[in-house]
Amino acid sequence: GREMGEMGEIANLIGTMGFPIYACIYQYKLNSELMKTISELNVTLKGIDVRLQHLENERDIINETK
């Protein structure tokens, strides 16, 4: 299956490049994916912040008219 092919590819890379080089490349890939996820979450949090500010402003306007 696909997992066996990936494992064979990993074993081949370790055999040809050595484990430390493979580990650095793998760590770089994971870091890149993590940075992308953090960036996407940051955009989401900014959107939530804008929505909360809007709701707080509406609440303040309603409270001022009471």
Side-chain angles (χ1 to χ4, degrees):
R2 182 176 177 212
E3 287 182 17
M4 291 301 291
E6 289 176 5
M7 292 301 292
E9 184 178 330
I10 291 170
N12 183 43
L13 289 172
I14 291 172
T16 56
M17 293 188 307
F19 181 77
I21 294 172
Y22 171 77
C24 286
I25 293 169
Y26 184 73
Q27 199 63 23
Y28 176 80
K29 180 180 181 254
L30 285 180
N31 186 54
S32 296
E33 292 172 2
L34 179 60
M35 294 305 295
K36 179 183 175 197
T37 300
I38 289 172
S39 178
E40 291 169 354
L41 288 171
N42 192 32
V43 170
T44 300
L45 287 174
K46 285 180 182 178
I48 291 170
D49 185 48
V50 168
R51 292 172 65 189
L52 283 173
Q53 287 176 2
H54 179 72
L55 289 171
E56 287 174 348
N57 290 341
E58 284 184 1
R59 181 198 63 200
D60 292 344
I61 291 169
I62 291 170
N63 287 337
E64 287 174 3
T65 59
K66 285 185 178 181

